[in-house]
Amino acid sequence: MSLAVALASGVVFLLAFFGLGLVQVSLGALTIQRDALRVLRDPTADDRARELVTRRASLRLLVVLWSIVWRVVLVFFAAALPLLLGDLLGIAPWEQAVFELERWETIIGLTVFGVFLWLVWAKKWSSF
């Protein structure tokens, strides 16, 4: 039963990871950075424009950082819920379920499932 609780925790982690949009927010940060660098590297841009772009990008990146931090915290809390419920209901002790999560077989299985979820989420499955 500890393996089932561990797998439930892993699946909840993956669903929360994709469901809370961590990938999209991270890609948004890269877009902000890329757009700012484009202006900073532009030889026709004056110092005032560069300074303005730098300020705006830094403020936007701080907002994105905060968004990423709270989403990561929510993902880990969501992943801890099956472990906590399993322990409270007497299905599997917390330590034993965490031990199952640390096994290579579990890590590889959840990684494969995560890649599958990403392919489905990104709608890349049809391109294979």
Side-chain angles (χ1 to χ4, degrees):
M1 289 307 280
S2 60
L3 180 59
V5 171
L7 289 176
S9 175
V11 168
V12 167
F13 174 87
L14 291 171
L15 292 175
F17 183 85
F18 289 110
L20 289 174
L22 270 166
V23 175
Q24 296 97 323
V25 173
S26 301
L27 290 175
L30 290 175
T31 302
I32 293 168
Q33 177 261 342
R34 195 175 313 123
D35 292 343
L37 281 178
R38 188 175 301 125
V39 174
L40 290 173
R41 289 180 180 161
D42 184 9
T44 61
D46 62 350
D47 287 344
R48 183 175 266 291
R50 289 182 177 146
E51 183 179 344
L52 183 63
V53 166
T54 303
R55 284 185 189 172
R56 286 183 182 163
S58 62
L59 289 176
R60 290 174 61 201
L61 286 171
L62 283 173
V63 170
V64 170
L65 172 66
W66 175 248
S67 178
I68 289 173
V69 166
W70 74 259
R71 289 169 198 251
V72 167
V73 167
L74 287 176
V75 166
F76 279 107
F77 276 129
L81 282 177
L83 298 173
L84 182 62
L85 285 174
D87 193 30
L88 290 175
L89 297 174
I91 297 171
W94 176 282
E95 297 83 13
Q96 194 173 359
V98 170
F99 175 76
E100 292 293 338
L101 273 174
E102 295 171 346
R103 294 180 56 203
W104 280 107
E105 298 88 359
T106 309
I107 293 170
I108 291 170
L110 289 170
T111 302
V112 169
F113 184 67
V115 169
F116 173 75
L117 276 179
W118 179 78
L119 289 173
V120 169
W121 167 79
K123 296 178 178 72
K124 296 182 185 271
W125 188 260
S126 61
S127 65
F128 287 115

